[in-house]
Amino acid sequence: MPSTLSPIGAFARAHDPDRFLCALFAPPDRREALFTLIAYNHELARAREAARTPMIALIRLQWWRDAVEEAATGKPPRRHEVAEPLHAAIAAGLLDPPDLQAMADAREAEAEEEGIPTESAFAAYLRASAGGFAVAAGRLLGAAGPALAALQEAGAAYGLAGILRSTVSLAGQGRCLLPADRLAAAGLSAEAVIAEPATAAPVIAGLAGQGLDRARSLRPRPPRGAIAAALPLVLARRDLRRLARGRPIPPTRGLSDRLAVTAGGLLGRV
């Protein structure tokens, strides 16, 4: 870990410790921009969480789209602890505005009052949100072409694990992001899961098992300098295996998870 963290690095560590750990294996000259990307992704993810209504969530997402567009067109940065370093990273050509806009677009699915209707829509949401983060991170670190497509699938696997392990906390916010058709097949609804999250255990285990099969088959091979963009897949496999077996995910990462990421980062493979 760097001896002294910048404010944006501290923000990333506080709000997304998984991706922060992975980012430590990025080249030093790209690490601050990656911390900034992590912080931006966190702000998008909390747009719905922090909003009283879906409309307010959409307004928050538009605020970030506007911030990205203003940076891309050379306007002054907005006064915000994340918007300012984001503006600087865009102005320096480190973060790609279309990638950032696509990440914001993906979060609109979380503001749909009827939830995510189908398993295919759920898969598309994961590829665009967590997968979109992996693409932006990979591009920042020098990945291109097929490597970016592989990173998107790896990111989607991490996103799946994140949604599944967050079912209880999402229910506490009055939200459910599990696909409605998969819930209906189990005789459930989003409202039932929000009222009693434990009822979703069979759906979670089933989705985790499918996701684990896919995650095990993924072999992203980004350039050595872009390994940080692929490392969340290490945690995705471990989490999906636990979820498929009905085991809880610890609230904080244990030593074995951190060592697995460290090994992947040092060896340059996941």
Side-chain angles (χ1 to χ4, degrees):
M1 183 181 295
S3 58
T4 303
L5 277 178
S6 65
I8 200 65
F11 185 101
R13 181 175 64 178
H15 295 290
D16 194 341
D18 281 1
R19 290 189 176 100
F20 172 82
L21 173 61
C22 297
L24 296 180
F25 295 93
D29 65 342
R30 292 290 187 270
R31 204 173 288 151
E32 285 296 300
L34 187 50
F35 290 157
T36 300
L37 180 64
I38 292 169
Y40 172 70
N41 184 66
H42 168 75
E43 290 295 322
L44 297 180
R46 71 183 294 270
R48 181 64 185 95
E49 175 186 346
R52 294 190 304 273
T53 67
M55 181 56 69
I56 294 175
L58 294 175
I59 292 171
R60 286 176 177 269
L61 292 175
Q62 187 58 48
W63 192 94
W64 285 105
R65 288 194 193 92
D66 292 344
V68 169
E69 182 178 357
E70 288 163 8
T73 56
K75 294 182 180 179
R78 297 185 172 203
R79 288 179 172 267
H80 185 280
E81 61 183 329
V82 175
E84 288 179 305
L86 181 70
H87 186 286
I90 294 169
L94 295 174
L95 294 177
D96 183 59
D99 286 345
L100 300 174
Q101 296 284 16
M103 288 170 61
D105 293 345
R107 295 291 178 172
E108 290 193 1
E110 298 175 5
E112 295 291 340
E113 292 195 54
E114 65 273 18
I116 299 177
T118 65
E119 200 168 344
S120 62
F122 184 58
Y125 156 72
L126 294 173
R127 286 194 299 272
S129 54
F133 171 91
V135 168
R139 201 184 309 277
L140 163 66
L141 299 176
L148 289 179
L151 286 173
Q152 184 175 37
E153 293 302 317
Y158 179 77
L160 171 64
I163 293 297
L164 298 181
R165 60 188 169 92
S166 299
T167 300
V168 173
S169 61
L170 287 169
Q173 302 165 19
R175 303 166 62 202
C176 176
L177 293 177
L178 301 176
D181 60 350
R182 194 65 177 259
L183 292 174
L188 296 170
S189 64
E191 292 75 17
V193 173
I194 291 169
E196 183 48 73
T199 60
V203 176
I204 291 171
L207 289 170
Q210 291 177 357
L212 180 59
D213 288 343
R214 175 62 179 157
R216 282 172 169 163
S217 72
L218 295 174
R219 291 293 182 269
R221 292 181 175 85
R224 183 65 182 84
I227 190 61
L231 285 174
L233 180 60
V234 173
L235 296 173
R237 290 178 182 136
R238 296 173 70 84
D239 286 352
L240 290 169
R241 183 168 63 248
R242 294 173 179 129
L243 291 162
R245 294 173 178 174
R247 292 169 51 195
I249 305 295
T252 57
R253 291 291 173 190
L255 179 61
S256 63
D257 282 346
R258 288 183 276 122
L259 287 176
V261 171
T262 300
L266 294 176
L267 295 173
R269 63 173 183 265
V270 298

